[in-house]
C-alpha cells in the first residue's frame, strides 16, 4: 500500500530535484494529490479542527474540509502570499491545528511565494505548533533554488508532490512525505483507505523519472506555458509581479459592473469556460472579484487566442465593442 522500494527510490530521486530530501521510509506512493490530502486530513485531524488557508484556495480542499467538518480559517495575504503576522494573529484568536499552502503557484492567484516569505511563514508555523500541509503540485514551475517550506520545519510537515500537472494527470500518482512522529497514523490511513495504489501507474511514473523522459516532458510543458503566457499578455496585464511567470492559469480582476456568477454563464454562452473567484473563496463575501483564466486547457495556442479575444470582447464597454471586431477570430 505504501509503494514498492523501487518506486519509493524513484520518488526520492524526483523529490530531490525540487530540493526535498526524504528517507524512503518516510515516503508513501498515493493515488494522486487529492488522495494524499484526504489521507492527511483523515489521519491527522478531527471533526471540528481548524486549518488556516489563503483567502482564495484550491476548491477541492475546501469541499474536502467541509465533508470532514473541518473549519477553514482564511488568512489575509499580499502580493507575496499569506501574511505571517496575520497567520500569527489568527493563531492567537483561534485554536488552529494546521495550515494548507500551495507556495509555488497558488491556485487560483498564481502567486509564487518567495524564499523570505517561506521562511517567515515557517517560523510562525513552528511557533504555534501547526501541522503544515504543503501542496507542491506546482513545484516544477518554481525557480531551481527555491526550497520547500517543509525543509525548514520537516517535523511538522506533510509534503505532497503530485505528478498530475508536471507529468500526466491520468496516472493519478503522488509522492507523500511525512515525519516519523506522524508515521503510524499516516500508514494506518493508507492501509485503511487505499488498500493499494495501482502498481502499474507507479511503474509508469518511475520509468519516466529514471529514463529522463520526465525531465523532457516538463521542459516541453514549460516552453508551451511560456508561449501561452506571452499570448495572454497581449490581451491582459498581469498586475502582480509575484505571480509565477510560467503559471498554467491567470487571475483577471472583474469589473464590478458584472455579477460573477452571471458573467460565468454569459462567457459559457459565448463558447468559453472561466471560473469566478467565488469558487475559491474561503469565508465571507468579498466585494472584489476576479476570474481564473486557464491557459493550459485549450488544445493549442490558436484556440487559446480565440478564447482570450472573446473574453476581452465580453469585458469591454459596449461603446468600445465595434473597435475590436478585428480581434475576434
Amino acid at each position: 500500500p505504501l509503494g514498492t522500494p523501487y518506486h519509493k527510490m524513484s520518488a526520492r530521486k524526483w523529490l530531490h530535484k525540487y530540493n526535498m530530501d526524504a528517507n524512503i521510509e518516510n515516503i508513501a506512493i498515493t493515488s494522486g494529490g487529492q488522495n494524499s490530502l484526504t489521507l492527511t486530513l483523515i489521519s491527522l485531524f478531527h471533526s471540528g479542527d481548524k486549518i488556516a488557508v489563503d483567502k482564495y484556495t484550491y476548491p477541492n480542499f475546501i469541499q474536502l474540509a467541509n465533508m470532514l467538518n473541518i473549519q477553514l480559517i482564511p488568512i489575509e495575504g499580499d502580493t507575496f502570499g499569506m501574511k505571517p503576522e496575520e497567520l500569527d494573529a489568527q493563531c492567537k484568536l483561534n485554536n488552529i491545528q494546521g495550515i494548507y499552502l500551495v507556495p509555488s503557484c497558488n491556485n487560483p492567484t498564481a502567486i509564487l511565494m518567495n524564499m523570505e516569505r517561506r521562511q517567515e511563514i515557517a517560523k510562525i508555523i513552528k511557533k504555534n505548533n501547526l501541522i503544515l500541509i504543503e501542496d507542491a503540485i506546482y513545484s516544477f514551475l518554481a525557480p531551481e533554488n527555491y526550497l520547500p517550506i517543509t525543509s525548514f520545519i520537516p517535523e511538522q510537515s506533510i509534503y505532497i508532490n503530485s505528478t498530475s500537472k508536471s507529468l500526466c494527470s491520468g496516472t493519478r500518482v503522488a509522492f507523500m512525505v511525512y515525519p516519523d512522529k506522524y508515521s503510524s497514523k499516516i500508514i494506518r490511513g493508507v492501509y485503511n483507505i487505499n488498500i493499494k495504489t495501482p502498481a502499474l501507474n507507479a511503474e509508469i511514473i518511475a520509468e519516466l523519472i529514471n529514463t529522463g523522459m520526465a525531465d523532457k516532458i516538463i521542459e516541453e510543458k514549460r516552453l508551451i506555458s511560456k508561449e501561452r503566457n506571452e499570448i495572454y499578455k497581449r490581451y491582459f496585464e498581469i498586475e502582480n509581479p509575484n505571480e509565477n511567470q510560467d503559471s498554467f492559469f491567470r487571475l483577471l480582476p472583474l469589473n464590478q459592473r458584472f455579477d460573477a456568477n452571471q458573467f460565468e454563464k454569459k462567457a459559457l454562452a459565448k463558447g468559453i469556460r472561466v471560473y469566478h473567484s467565488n469558487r475559491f473563496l474561503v469565508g465571507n463575501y468579498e466585494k472584489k472579484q476576479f476570474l481564473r483564466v486557464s491557459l493550459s486547457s485549450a488544445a493549442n495556442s490558436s484556440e487559446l487566442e480565440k478564447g482570450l479575444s472573446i473574453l476581452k470582447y465580453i469585458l469591454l464597454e459596449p461603446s468600445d465593442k465595434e473597435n475590436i471586431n478585428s480581434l475576434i477570430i
Side-chain angles (χ1 to χ4, degrees):
L2 299 174
T4 69
Y6 172 70
H7 294 157
K8 286 187 173 189
M9 287 298 295
S10 301
R12 188 177 187 277
K13 179 180 179 181
W14 184 249
L15 295 173
H16 192 70
K17 290 178 179 292
Y18 304 108
N19 303 307
M20 183 65 196
D21 192 20
N23 296 321
I24 60 171
E25 294 82 8
N26 298 97
I27 299 174
I29 313 294
T30 66
S31 300
Q34 190 69 17
N35 178 240
S36 294
L37 293 173
T38 303
L39 286 166
T40 302
L41 293 190
I42 289 177
S43 301
L44 302 181
F45 296 88
H46 304 90
S47 176
D49 280 354
K50 298 177 181 179
I51 296 178
V53 293
D54 288 294
K55 178 170 282 189
Y56 294 100
T57 193
Y58 179 42
N60 286 18
F61 187 78
I62 297 173
Q63 294 302 320
L64 177 60
N66 288 341
M67 289 178 64
L68 297 174
N69 194 34
I70 292 173
Q71 183 181 352
L72 300 183
I73 306 296
I75 310 296
E76 293 287 346
D78 57 19
T79 57
F80 294 101
M82 186 181 290
K83 294 180 180 179
E85 64 273 17
E86 290 292 333
L87 174 60
D88 197 29
Q90 287 299 322
C91 286
K92 291 181 173 69
L93 293 172
N94 296 279
N95 181 26
I96 298 177
Q97 285 77 32
I99 178 172
Y100 170 73
L101 291 169
V102 191
S104 293
C105 187
N106 181 58
N107 185 5
T109 63
I111 290 176
L112 170 63
M113 186 181 288
N114 65 17
M115 283 308 306
E116 182 180 356
R117 181 60 57 88
R118 293 183 188 216
Q119 292 180 60
E120 291 171 346
I121 287 289
K123 289 178 182 177
I124 303 301
I125 293 172
K126 186 173 183 179
K127 172 185 174 182
N128 292 280
N129 196 31
L130 305 180
I131 298 174
L132 167 65
I133 306 169
E134 182 168 8
D135 191 339
I137 190 168
Y138 293 110
S139 60
F140 70 101
L141 295 178
E144 289 186 3
N145 61 337
Y146 272 45
L147 302 177
I149 302 173
T150 297
S151 64
F152 302 109
I153 44 171
E155 292 306 309
Q156 290 177 232
S157 177
I158 303 296
Y159 176 89
I160 300 167
N161 189 311
S162 170
T163 61
S164 294
K165 303 298 182 185
S166 58
L167 299 180
C168 178
S169 60
T171 54
R172 311 308 302 167
V173 172
F175 308 133
M176 184 175 175
V177 182
Y178 48 87
D180 289 336
K181 68 177 181 179
Y182 300 139
S183 180
S184 60
K185 291 182 178 180
I186 293 294
I187 291 173
R188 182 186 176 194
V190 170
Y191 272 67
N192 283 285
I193 294 173
N194 281 9
I195 307 301
K196 192 178 191 309
T197 299
L200 176 60
N201 295 17
E203 181 70 16
I204 291 169
I205 295 299
E207 186 74 3
L208 291 175
I209 292 169
N210 293 318
T211 60
M213 184 59 69
D215 296 323
K216 294 180 181 179
I217 291 172
I218 286 179
E219 183 180 357
E220 288 186 30
K221 284 193 175 188
R222 293 193 69 161
L223 286 173
I224 294 170
S225 184
K226 287 179 186 297
E227 177 190 351
R228 295 193 178 190
N229 274 281
E230 288 304 314
I231 293 172
Y232 178 85
K233 286 187 281 189
R234 293 207 295 264
Y235 289 87
F236 304 105
E237 291 184 6
I238 297 176
E239 296 183 356
N240 182 1
N242 296 309
E243 288 185 27
N244 191 310
Q245 296 303 302
D246 296 333
S247 176
F248 287 7
F249 47 85
R250 286 292 164 203
L251 180 153
L252 179 63
L254 188 61
N255 192 302
Q256 288 306 302
R257 62 191 173 86
F258 293 113
D259 173 85
N261 291 287
Q262 291 179 353
F263 185 90
E264 192 174 287
K265 293 177 182 178
K266 181 179 180 180
L268 188 60
K270 296 287 186 180
I272 58 173
R273 184 187 300 276
V274 291
Y275 288 153
H276 63 72
S277 53
N278 289 356
R279 291 177 180 265
F280 307 87
L281 178 64
V282 179
N284 298 326
Y285 169 79
E286 278 282 299
K287 187 175 182 181
K288 291 179 66 177
Q289 297 178 331
F290 60 85
L291 301 175
R292 179 189 182 275
V293 182
S294 173
L295 308 183
S296 61
S297 56
N300 50 54
S301 295
S302 61
E303 184 176 275
L304 173 65
E305 189 145 11
K306 179 179 179 180
L308 292 174
S309 67
I310 294 172
L311 180 59
K312 186 159 189 174
Y313 178 83
I314 298 171
L315 288 167
L316 285 177
E317 294 289 340
S319 59
D320 294 331
K321 285 185 178 178
E322 63 269 21
N323 297 328
I324 63 157
N325 285 335
S326 61
L327 290 177
I328 303 301
I329 299 172

